[in-house]
Amino acid sequence: MIEIYKHQLANGLKIVVHPDITTPLVAVNLLYDVGARDEAPDKTGFAHLFEHLMFGGSVNVPSYDEPLQRVGGENNAWTSNDFTNYYVTLPAANIETAFWLESDRMLELNFTDKNLEVQRKVVIEEFKQRYLNQPYGDIPLLTRPMAYKQHPYQWPTIGKDISHIENATMDDVKNFFYRHYAPNNAVLSVSGNVQPDSVFKLAEKWFGDIPRRDVPVRNIPAELPQQEARFLQVKRDVPAHLLNIHFHIGARRDDDFCINDLLSDILSNGPSSRLIQSLIKDKQLFSDVNAYISGDMDPGLFAVTGRLMPGIKMKDAEDAVWNELHSITNTLVDDRELQKVKNKIESNLVFAEISFLNKAMNMAQYELMGDAENINREIEHYRAVTAEQIQATAGSVFRKENSSTLHYLAEKG
């Protein structure tokens, strides 16, 4: 159970705090409610670009890292389809340094042509290294637009096309910042050796004077139900064939999220899971196989993917995957198998509470999803899932007309 205290400033900034006297450290996490889904189709990659620009200094503090390092702090950030997250860990006695730095760059970044060009080159190079110049790297660029035809989940967080970042102007960058980087579009979460009232006072001191901004109301096109199977085959210079199948599922806050999560674990979490036992150990069709859900805020994807063993035909491998999916659709999961994956989920949730940084990040996300207190109720939702719900959900998800399949073939295979 995570003890949570909450407060909200007049400018809309939400604050959640968890005091933890077992550590001399503190995590200060700032989660902005902006991700790749908030980008225009012809200007993608901006949420990720800002993850880099935010470390280029603000108007008043030219170097973000230097003052943080002087007080023993570390920092990092990540971008997803839905959020952009920044965090700092440092000795609790020096927490005010984190508040100073985070509030200053929320107020106004140092918008210079030099900083934009530096970070533009970094992002372009990352795009090339991760998606264009590494084996299997372009899979997200192939599968997302196949699965999504209306929703902006059709491009990965780094963007749809490298030209969008290459052509980004200073006005584009400033407009994105002032539309999304605002106190009324963020959650500040703090976990560590702190007192809640002290944190609330610091938040008022450093963030209270930052004005609210006109954050646009989301008007994201809903993805229409998929009516027929989609298929794509490509050949690449890779060591082995790879099969990738995506199915549409619900959103993170939907009732069936926990059911799909458990379903993916039954299929591929651990050496005794179904796909690993059947397709790797028994039939030796795949060298690795995995099933997982995207966990997006809007309706997401259930992925089944695997790398084929040498000499195995793609049709044989795909048929074997569908046989396993049909099996879990047609037969109830036994109590022992279901309880085993529930136990794994519960242990993961408990272990996540050990890290003060994990607690800070998780509290912020749960607060943005509606209420940070739901983090303490999550396990009950998993415990309540029945074998009948697993079977019904599998039957709803694992349908040919709900699938988008990629055959990623090795040129020399």
Side-chain angles (χ1 to χ4, degrees), residues 19 30 70 109 136 140 195 218 276 280 285 316 318 328 392:
L30 196 55
R70 284 203 302 264
L109 281 183
Y136 310 103
Q195 293 298 320
R218 280 197 177 95
I276 293 176
I280 294 180
L285 298 174
D316 294 338
E318 185 177 355
I328 203 167

Side-chain angles (χ1 to χ4, degrees), residues 264-398:
S264 69
D265 282 359
I266 291 170
L267 288 173
S268 76
N269 189 353
S272 62
S273 60
R274 294 192 175 197
L275 296 184
I276 293 176
Q277 277 289 325
S278 174
L279 305 183
I280 294 180
K281 294 184 177 180
D282 295 341
K283 298 175 182 176
Q284 299 182 6
L285 298 174
F286 291 86
S287 60
D288 65 73
V289 65
N290 199 9
Y292 58 90
I293 60 174
S294 59
D296 296 317
M297 292 295 288
D298 292 335
L301 297 174
F302 193 121
V304 180
T305 181
R307 200 172 317 192
L308 278 63
M309 291 290 288
I312 299 301
K313 295 180 180 180
M314 181 64 77
K315 182 181 185 304
D316 294 338
E318 185 177 355
D319 287 346
V321 168
W322 276 103
N323 285 338
E324 292 301 320
L325 300 183
H326 289 150
S327 175
I328 203 167
T329 299
N330 297 327
T331 308
L332 280 178
V333 176
D334 67 62
D335 292 341
R336 181 179 177 276
E337 187 177 16
L338 179 55
Q339 190 60 51
K340 182 174 65 176
V341 294
K342 286 183 180 182
N343 292 342
K344 285 186 177 181
I345 290 284
E346 186 165 358
S347 66
N348 288 338
L349 291 173
V350 171
F351 282 127
E353 295 182 8
I354 295 175
S355 166
F356 66 99
L357 175 57
N358 282 346
K359 283 185 280 192
M361 289 193 289
N362 290 336
M363 286 193 305
Q365 288 189 52
Y366 276 84
E367 183 65 18
L368 204 55
M369 288 192 294
D371 185 0
E373 291 288 352
N374 285 334
I375 197 171
N376 292 319
R377 308 181 187 111
E378 187 84 327
I379 189 58
E380 297 303 325
H381 297 303
Y382 283 98
R383 288 172 177 166
V385 172
T386 66
E388 288 77 13
Q389 289 176 312
I390 294 287
Q391 184 180 27
T393 299
S396 173
V397 172
F398 300 143

Side-chain angles (χ1 to χ4, degrees), residues 234-273:
V234 299
K235 285 189 175 183
R236 297 287 191 267
D237 183 14
V238 292
H241 298 329
L242 185 140
L243 171 67
N244 190 303
I245 310 175
H246 278 117
F247 303 92
H248 289 279
I249 57 173
R252 175 65 179 83
R253 287 175 283 195
D254 287 353
D255 292 338
D256 63 353
F257 170 79
C258 294
I259 303 173
N260 276 305
D261 197 15
L262 288 168
L263 180 55
S264 69
D265 282 359
I266 291 170
L267 288 173
S268 76
N269 189 353
S272 62
S273 60

Side-chain angles (χ1 to χ4, degrees), residues 113-125:
D113 291 333
K114 178 182 179 181
N115 188 29
L116 176 57
E117 287 308 310
V118 168
Q119 300 307 328
R120 189 202 311 270
K121 290 178 181 178
V122 171
V123 172
I124 290 173
E125 186 60 28

Side-chain angles (χ1 to χ4, degrees), residues 162-175:
I162 199 170
S163 65
H164 295 177
I165 297 301
E166 290 174 335
N167 299 327
T169 68
M170 184 61 74
D171 284 341
D172 291 334
V173 169
K174 287 184 176 180
N175 288 338

Side-chain angles (χ1 to χ4, degrees), residues 56-203:
S58 64
V59 171
N60 301 309
V61 187
S63 171
Y64 180 91
D65 290 330
E66 185 178 329
L68 186 61
Q69 291 169 353
R70 284 203 302 264
V71 296
E74 297 180 351
N75 69 87
N76 213 328
W78 50 263
T79 311
S80 73
N81 292 321
D82 305 308
F83 308 129
T84 309
N85 191 78
Y86 302 87
Y87 64 85
V88 174
T89 58
L90 73 172
N94 299 328
I95 185 176
E96 194 160 5
T97 299
F99 275 68
W100 162 52
L101 292 171
E102 290 294 348
S103 63
D104 200 65
R105 65 179 180 177
M106 177 190 283
L107 178 65
E108 187 174 9
L109 281 183
N110 184 22
F111 291 109
T112 65
D113 291 333
K114 178 182 179 181
N115 188 29
L116 176 57
E117 287 308 310
V118 168
Q119 300 307 328
R120 189 202 311 270
K121 290 178 181 178
V122 171
V123 172
I124 290 173
E125 186 60 28
E126 182 180 347
F127 191 107
K128 292 178 179 178
Q129 287 185 357
R130 290 178 56 189
Y131 292 87
L132 303 182
N133 299 330
Q134 117 173 325
Y136 310 103
D138 62 341
I139 286 178
L141 301 175
L142 299 170
T143 56
R144 284 189 167 275
M146 181 165 49
Y148 291 102
K149 301 302 181 183
Q150 291 84 30
H151 196 283
Y153 285 164
Q154 63 189 261
W155 54 80
T157 56
I158 204 162
K160 180 193 299 186
D161 192 285
I162 199 170
S163 65
H164 295 177
I165 297 301
E166 290 174 335
N167 299 327
T169 68
M170 184 61 74
D171 284 341
D172 291 334
V173 169
K174 287 184 176 180
N175 288 338
F176 192 89
F177 178 81
Y178 287 113
R179 289 172 64 205
H180 299 291
Y181 279 74
N184 48 310
N185 201 42
V187 175
L188 175 69
S189 60
V190 178
S191 175
N193 202 334
V194 294
Q195 293 298 320
D197 288 343
S198 298
V199 173
F200 299 150
K201 289 177 182 177
L202 283 174

